[in-house]
Amino acid sequence: MKKRSVLPVMVVTLAAAVAVFPVLFILSNSLMSGREILSHYGSAVTAANQNDFIYNDVHFVHFTLLPSNPTLAQYKTLLFYSPVYLRMFWNSLILVVPVLVGQMVLAPLTAYGFEYVNWKWKEALYFLYIVILLMPTQLLMVPNFLVAGWLHIRDSYLAIILPALFHPLGVFLVRQQLKGFPRACMEAAALDGATAMQAYRCIVRPNMRSAVAAMLVLLFADNWNIVDQAVVFIHETFDNPLSVYLGTVAEADPGIFFAVSVFYFVPALVVFLLGEESLSEGIVLSEMK
Protein backbone atom coordinates (compact mmCIF):
# COMPACT_ATOMS: atom_id res chain seq x y z
CA MET A 1 0.00 0.00 0.00
CA LYS A 2 2.80 2.41 0.83
CA LYS A 3 4.48 1.85 -2.53
CA ARG A 4 1.22 2.56 -4.32
CA SER A 5 0.75 5.80 -2.39
CA VAL A 6 4.32 6.98 -3.05
CA LEU A 7 4.15 6.53 -6.82
CA PRO A 8 1.46 9.18 -7.48
CA VAL A 9 3.37 11.63 -5.28
CA MET A 10 6.56 10.99 -7.25
CA VAL A 11 4.76 11.41 -10.57
CA VAL A 12 3.12 14.68 -9.46
CA THR A 13 6.41 15.96 -8.05
CA LEU A 14 8.24 15.16 -11.28
CA ALA A 15 5.53 16.81 -13.38
CA ALA A 16 5.63 19.92 -11.14
CA ALA A 17 9.44 20.09 -11.39
CA VAL A 18 9.32 19.86 -15.18
CA ALA A 19 6.65 22.58 -15.31
CA VAL A 20 8.41 24.93 -12.88
CA PHE A 21 11.96 24.52 -14.22
CA PRO A 22 11.57 26.90 -17.22
CA VAL A 23 10.28 29.62 -14.90
CA LEU A 24 13.19 29.15 -12.49
CA PHE A 25 15.60 29.12 -15.42
CA ILE A 26 14.26 32.44 -16.74
CA LEU A 27 14.27 34.05 -13.29
CA SER A 28 17.84 32.99 -12.51
CA ASN A 29 19.14 34.02 -15.93
CA SER A 30 17.45 37.40 -15.59
CA LEU A 31 19.95 38.06 -12.78
CA MET A 32 22.91 37.69 -15.13
CA SER A 33 24.69 40.60 -16.71
CA GLY A 34 24.37 41.18 -20.42
CA ARG A 35 28.00 40.20 -20.91
CA GLU A 36 27.46 36.88 -19.13
CA ILE A 37 24.40 36.12 -21.25
CA LEU A 38 26.29 36.79 -24.46
CA SER A 39 29.13 34.65 -23.15
CA HIS A 40 26.86 31.70 -22.34
CA TYR A 41 24.37 31.88 -25.21
CA GLY A 42 26.19 33.75 -27.97
CA SER A 43 28.04 32.08 -30.84
CA ALA A 44 31.13 34.31 -30.60
CA VAL A 45 34.22 32.90 -28.88
CA THR A 46 35.46 35.14 -26.05
CA ALA A 47 37.96 34.91 -23.23
CA ALA A 48 35.13 34.05 -20.84
CA ASN A 49 33.75 31.09 -22.82
CA GLN A 50 36.83 29.71 -24.53
CA ASN A 51 36.76 26.66 -22.24
CA ASP A 52 33.21 25.75 -23.32
CA PHE A 53 32.35 23.50 -26.25
CA ILE A 54 33.67 25.17 -29.41
CA TYR A 55 33.61 23.75 -32.92
CA ASN A 56 34.97 25.49 -36.04
CA ASP A 57 35.40 28.73 -34.04
CA VAL A 58 31.72 28.73 -33.09
CA HIS A 59 30.71 28.75 -29.42
CA PHE A 60 27.82 26.46 -28.55
CA VAL A 61 25.18 27.35 -25.98
CA HIS A 62 26.22 26.72 -22.40
CA PHE A 63 23.13 26.41 -20.21
CA THR A 64 23.48 27.37 -16.57
CA LEU A 65 20.99 27.90 -13.78
CA LEU A 66 22.96 30.11 -11.40
CA PRO A 67 24.56 33.42 -12.45
CA SER A 68 28.23 33.94 -11.65
CA ASN A 69 27.65 37.44 -10.33
CA PRO A 70 23.95 38.16 -9.64
CA THR A 71 22.91 41.63 -10.74
CA LEU A 72 19.78 43.61 -11.55
CA ALA A 73 21.41 45.23 -14.56
CA GLN A 74 18.95 43.63 -16.99
CA TYR A 75 15.98 45.09 -15.15
CA LYS A 76 17.67 48.48 -14.88
CA THR A 77 18.27 48.54 -18.62
CA LEU A 78 14.75 47.33 -19.34
CA LEU A 79 12.92 49.81 -17.11
CA PHE A 80 15.07 52.93 -17.53
CA TYR A 81 16.90 52.67 -20.86
CA SER A 82 14.56 50.66 -23.09
CA PRO A 83 11.19 52.46 -23.22
CA VAL A 84 10.14 50.43 -26.25
CA TYR A 85 9.38 47.44 -24.05
CA LEU A 86 7.18 49.51 -21.74
CA ARG A 87 5.34 50.73 -24.85
CA MET A 88 4.70 47.11 -25.90
CA PHE A 89 3.50 46.31 -22.39
CA TRP A 90 0.89 49.06 -22.54
CA ASN A 91 -0.11 47.92 -26.03
CA SER A 92 -0.88 44.49 -24.56
CA LEU A 93 -2.99 46.07 -21.82
CA ILE A 94 -4.86 48.18 -24.38
CA LEU A 95 -5.83 44.96 -26.14
CA VAL A 96 -6.65 42.87 -23.07
CA VAL A 97 -8.57 45.25 -20.78
CA PRO A 98 -11.44 46.10 -23.19
CA VAL A 99 -11.90 42.41 -23.96
CA LEU A 100 -12.16 41.51 -20.26
CA VAL A 101 -14.57 44.36 -19.53
CA GLY A 102 -16.75 43.51 -22.51
CA GLN A 103 -16.80 39.80 -21.73
CA MET A 104 -17.66 40.53 -18.10
CA VAL A 105 -20.79 42.34 -19.31
CA LEU A 106 -21.78 40.30 -22.37
CA ALA A 107 -20.95 36.70 -21.49
CA PRO A 108 -23.11 36.35 -18.33
CA LEU A 109 -26.04 38.09 -20.01
CA THR A 110 -25.76 35.87 -23.10
CA ALA A 111 -25.48 32.72 -20.99
CA TYR A 112 -28.57 33.79 -19.04
CA GLY A 113 -30.49 34.22 -22.28
CA PHE A 114 -29.45 30.78 -23.52
CA GLU A 115 -30.44 29.09 -20.26
CA TYR A 116 -33.65 30.83 -19.16
CA VAL A 117 -35.19 32.60 -22.13
CA ASN A 118 -37.31 30.27 -24.24
CA TRP A 119 -37.03 30.82 -27.97
CA LYS A 120 -37.12 28.41 -30.86
CA TRP A 121 -33.59 28.32 -32.22
CA LYS A 122 -31.54 28.92 -29.09
CA GLU A 123 -30.08 25.39 -28.86
CA ALA A 124 -29.12 25.43 -32.52
CA LEU A 125 -27.38 28.76 -32.03
CA TYR A 126 -25.69 27.50 -28.88
CA PHE A 127 -24.43 24.49 -30.86
CA LEU A 128 -22.80 26.95 -33.27
CA TYR A 129 -21.17 28.63 -30.26
CA ILE A 130 -19.63 25.31 -29.26
CA VAL A 131 -18.45 24.63 -32.81
CA ILE A 132 -16.73 28.03 -32.94
CA LEU A 133 -15.20 27.36 -29.51
CA LEU A 134 -13.61 24.17 -30.85
CA MET A 135 -12.20 25.82 -33.97
CA PRO A 136 -8.53 26.87 -33.97
CA THR A 137 -7.87 30.59 -34.06
CA GLN A 138 -6.06 30.33 -37.39
CA LEU A 139 -9.22 28.97 -39.04
CA LEU A 140 -11.22 32.00 -37.93
CA MET A 141 -8.67 34.52 -39.16
CA VAL A 142 -9.99 34.59 -42.74
CA PRO A 143 -13.62 35.55 -41.87
CA ASN A 144 -12.33 37.98 -39.24
CA PHE A 145 -10.06 39.56 -41.85
CA LEU A 146 -12.92 39.91 -44.34
CA VAL A 147 -15.31 41.42 -41.78
CA ALA A 148 -12.61 43.83 -40.59
CA GLY A 149 -12.24 44.97 -44.20
CA TRP A 150 -15.98 45.54 -44.55
CA LEU A 151 -15.96 47.59 -41.33
CA HIS A 152 -12.80 49.48 -42.37
CA ILE A 153 -11.02 48.64 -39.13
CA ARG A 154 -8.03 46.73 -40.48
CA ASP A 155 -4.69 47.92 -39.10
CA SER A 156 -6.37 48.82 -35.80
CA TYR A 157 -6.86 47.26 -32.39
CA LEU A 158 -10.60 47.02 -33.02
CA ALA A 159 -10.00 44.22 -35.53
CA ILE A 160 -8.62 42.16 -32.63
CA ILE A 161 -10.83 43.39 -29.80
CA LEU A 162 -14.26 42.98 -31.46
CA PRO A 163 -13.98 39.23 -32.24
CA ALA A 164 -12.53 38.62 -28.77
CA LEU A 165 -15.48 40.39 -27.13
CA PHE A 166 -17.80 37.68 -28.43
CA HIS A 167 -15.57 34.66 -27.89
CA PRO A 168 -17.87 31.81 -26.76
CA LEU A 169 -15.64 30.50 -23.94
CA GLY A 170 -17.16 32.83 -21.35
CA VAL A 171 -20.72 32.00 -22.41
CA PHE A 172 -19.97 28.29 -22.19
CA LEU A 173 -18.45 28.48 -18.69
CA VAL A 174 -21.21 30.65 -17.25
CA ARG A 175 -24.04 28.62 -18.79
CA GLN A 176 -22.58 25.41 -17.40
CA GLN A 177 -22.79 26.94 -13.93
CA LEU A 178 -26.33 28.16 -14.55
CA LYS A 179 -27.42 24.60 -15.27
CA GLY A 180 -26.92 23.87 -11.57
CA PHE A 181 -28.66 27.05 -10.40
CA PRO A 182 -31.89 26.28 -8.43
CA ARG A 183 -34.92 26.73 -10.65
CA ALA A 184 -37.01 27.38 -7.56
CA CYS A 185 -35.34 30.77 -7.13
CA MET A 186 -36.33 31.83 -10.63
CA GLU A 187 -39.88 30.56 -10.16
CA ALA A 188 -40.21 32.46 -6.87
CA ALA A 189 -38.96 35.63 -8.54
CA ALA A 190 -41.50 35.20 -11.35
CA LEU A 191 -44.32 34.71 -8.81
CA ASP A 192 -43.28 37.93 -7.07
CA GLY A 193 -43.61 39.77 -10.38
CA ALA A 194 -39.92 40.17 -11.21
CA THR A 195 -39.08 40.64 -14.88
CA ALA A 196 -36.39 38.57 -16.60
CA MET A 197 -33.88 41.40 -16.31
CA GLN A 198 -34.71 42.01 -12.66
CA ALA A 199 -34.21 38.31 -11.89
CA TYR A 200 -30.89 38.41 -13.73
CA ARG A 201 -29.66 41.57 -12.01
CA CYS A 202 -30.77 40.72 -8.46
CA ILE A 203 -30.59 36.91 -8.28
CA VAL A 204 -28.57 35.30 -11.05
CA ARG A 205 -25.73 37.78 -11.64
CA PRO A 206 -24.56 37.98 -7.98
CA ASN A 207 -24.32 34.18 -7.86
CA MET A 208 -22.15 33.90 -10.96
CA ARG A 209 -19.08 35.63 -9.54
CA SER A 210 -16.95 32.48 -9.39
CA ALA A 211 -17.71 31.51 -12.97
CA VAL A 212 -17.11 35.07 -14.17
CA ALA A 213 -13.80 35.23 -12.27
CA ALA A 214 -12.70 31.91 -13.79
CA MET A 215 -13.69 33.19 -17.20
CA LEU A 216 -11.65 36.38 -16.75
CA VAL A 217 -8.52 34.48 -15.69
CA LEU A 218 -8.70 32.18 -18.71
CA LEU A 219 -9.50 35.01 -21.13
CA PHE A 220 -6.66 37.12 -19.76
CA ALA A 221 -4.18 34.32 -20.45
CA ASP A 222 -5.63 33.77 -23.92
CA ASN A 223 -5.59 37.41 -24.98
CA TRP A 224 -2.32 38.32 -23.25
CA ASN A 225 -0.59 35.71 -25.43
CA ILE A 226 -2.08 36.66 -28.79
CA VAL A 227 0.33 36.44 -31.71
CA ASP A 228 -1.48 35.50 -34.93
CA GLN A 229 -4.10 38.24 -34.71
CA ALA A 230 -1.50 40.92 -34.01
CA VAL A 231 0.72 39.77 -36.88
CA VAL A 232 -2.21 39.95 -39.32
CA PHE A 233 -3.87 43.20 -38.22
CA ILE A 234 -1.05 45.30 -36.74
CA HIS A 235 1.66 46.41 -39.14
CA GLU A 236 3.37 49.17 -37.18
CA THR A 237 6.16 47.74 -35.03
CA PHE A 238 5.57 50.08 -32.10
CA ASP A 239 1.87 49.18 -32.01
CA ASN A 240 2.55 45.47 -31.47
CA PRO A 241 1.81 43.82 -28.12
CA LEU A 242 4.66 42.49 -26.05
CA SER A 243 3.74 38.91 -26.99
CA VAL A 244 4.75 39.60 -30.61
CA TYR A 245 7.79 41.73 -29.88
CA LEU A 246 9.15 39.17 -27.42
CA GLY A 247 10.13 36.93 -30.32
CA THR A 248 12.53 39.54 -31.71
CA VAL A 249 14.27 40.38 -28.43
CA ALA A 250 16.60 37.37 -28.52
CA GLU A 251 18.17 38.67 -31.73
CA ALA A 252 17.75 42.42 -31.31
CA ASP A 253 18.83 42.74 -27.67
CA PRO A 254 19.85 39.36 -26.18
CA GLY A 255 21.41 41.02 -23.14
CA ILE A 256 17.99 41.71 -21.60
CA PHE A 257 16.01 38.83 -23.08
CA PHE A 258 15.42 37.08 -19.76
CA ALA A 259 14.36 40.26 -17.96
CA VAL A 260 11.85 40.96 -20.73
CA SER A 261 10.54 37.40 -20.36
CA VAL A 262 10.00 37.95 -16.62
CA PHE A 263 8.40 41.30 -17.38
CA TYR A 264 6.06 39.47 -19.73
CA PHE A 265 4.88 36.56 -17.57
CA VAL A 266 4.55 38.41 -14.23
CA PRO A 267 1.12 39.99 -15.07
CA ALA A 268 -0.30 36.60 -16.04
CA LEU A 269 1.12 35.09 -12.85
CA VAL A 270 -0.39 37.86 -10.71
CA VAL A 271 -3.81 37.46 -12.35
CA PHE A 272 -3.68 33.69 -11.77
CA LEU A 273 -2.68 34.05 -8.11
CA LEU A 274 -5.43 36.59 -7.49
CA GLY A 275 -8.04 34.44 -9.19
CA GLU A 276 -6.77 30.96 -8.28
CA GLU A 277 -9.52 30.21 -5.77
CA SER A 278 -12.25 31.61 -7.99
CA LEU A 279 -10.82 29.74 -10.97
CA SER A 280 -10.96 26.39 -9.17
CA GLU A 281 -14.42 27.07 -7.77
CA GLY A 282 -15.76 28.35 -11.07
CA ILE A 283 -14.54 25.35 -13.02
CA VAL A 284 -16.02 22.94 -10.46
CA LEU A 285 -19.36 24.74 -10.53
CA SER A 286 -19.30 24.79 -14.32
CA GLU A 287 -19.11 21.00 -14.30
CA MET A 288 -22.28 20.68 -12.21
CA LYS A 289 -25.49 19.79 -14.01
Side-chain angles (χ1 to χ4, degrees):
M1 294 295 293
K2 290 184 179 180
K3 292 183 178 180
R4 291 182 179 178
S5 62
V6 170
L7 182 60
V9 175
M10 293 178 60
V11 172
V12 171
T13 302
L14 179 61
V18 172
V20 171
F21 178 77
V23 177
L24 296 178
F25 179 79
I26 292 173
L27 285 173
S28 64
N29 279 258
S30 70
L31 299 177
M32 292 182 180
S33 64
R35 179 177 298 178
E36 187 175 1
I37 289 176
L38 293 175
S39 175
H40 282 302
Y41 305 113
S43 60
V45 179
T46 65
N49 62 24
Q50 61 183 351
N51 294 324
D52 295 339
F53 181 63
I54 297 173
Y55 182 75
N56 287 340
D57 294 328
V58 175
H59 173 259
F60 283 69
V61 171
H62 175 67
F63 289 100
T64 182
L65 187 60
L66 298 176
S68 301
N69 298 299
T71 177
L72 296 176
Q74 286 191 61
Y75 294 101
K76 181 179 179 181
T77 303
L78 172 66
L79 297 176
F80 298 104
Y81 301 107
S82 301
V84 62
Y85 300 110
L86 296 178
R87 168 71 181 269
M88 305 301 172
F89 177 84
W90 289 114
N91 290 344
S92 295
L93 288 180
I94 292 172
L95 287 171
V96 171
V97 172
V99 173
L100 297 184
V101 174
Q103 282 275 355
M104 189 168 56
V105 175
L106 296 174
L109 189 59
T110 306
Y112 175 76
F114 274 123
E115 185 63 22
Y116 291 110
V117 179
N118 294 319
W119 45 291
K120 185 176 181 180
W121 302 106
K122 74 171 185 177
E123 294 302 333
L125 182 58
Y126 186 70
F127 176 76
L128 292 178
Y129 260 62
I130 301 302
V131 171
I132 294 173
L133 179 62
L134 297 176
M135 287 183 178
T137 302
Q138 293 78 4
L139 190 62
L140 299 173
M141 291 299 297
V142 173
N144 288 346
F145 185 82
L146 294 176
V147 173
W150 298 337
L151 297 177
H152 304 288
I153 57 173
R154 288 177 186 168
D155 300 328
S156 72
Y157 290 156
L158 282 177
I160 301 174
I161 293 173
L162 287 181
L165 283 176
F166 301 96
H167 193 278
L169 176 61
V171 178
F172 173 76
L173 288 175
V174 177
R175 193 188 182 194
Q176 288 300 108
Q177 179 178 345
L178 287 178
K179 289 182 180 295
F181 194 79
R183 294 281 177 173
C185 295
M186 303 301 296
E187 294 172 357
L191 290 174
D192 288 338
T195 63
M197 284 304 299
Q198 288 174 335
Y200 168 78
R201 187 176 65 254
C202 300
I203 300 175
V204 178
R205 186 64 176 82
N207 288 283
M208 291 191 296
R209 292 176 181 174
S210 296
V212 172
M215 172 194 74
L216 293 179
V217 172
L218 295 176
L219 288 174
F220 180 90
D222 188 38
N223 290 277
W224 185 255
N225 296 317
I226 62 169
V227 174
D228 296 331
Q229 300 95 317
V231 169
V232 172
F233 292 111
I234 300 176
H235 299 149
E236 293 293 332
T237 301
F238 291 105
D239 290 333
N240 276 319
L242 191 56
S243 55
V244 173
Y245 201 71
L246 187 66
T248 66
V249 178
E251 296 182 1
D253 201 351
I256 62 172
F257 172 74
F258 293 101
V260 176
S261 299
V262 173
F263 194 64
Y264 176 72
F265 76 70
V266 163
L269 180 62
V270 171
V271 170
F272 174 78
L273 293 177
L274 292 176
E276 179 184 6
E277 184 176 349
S278 297
L279 178 62
S280 301
E281 183 180 354
I283 292 176
V284 170
L285 291 175
S286 297
E287 294 174 352
M288 295 174 61
K289 301 291 188 292

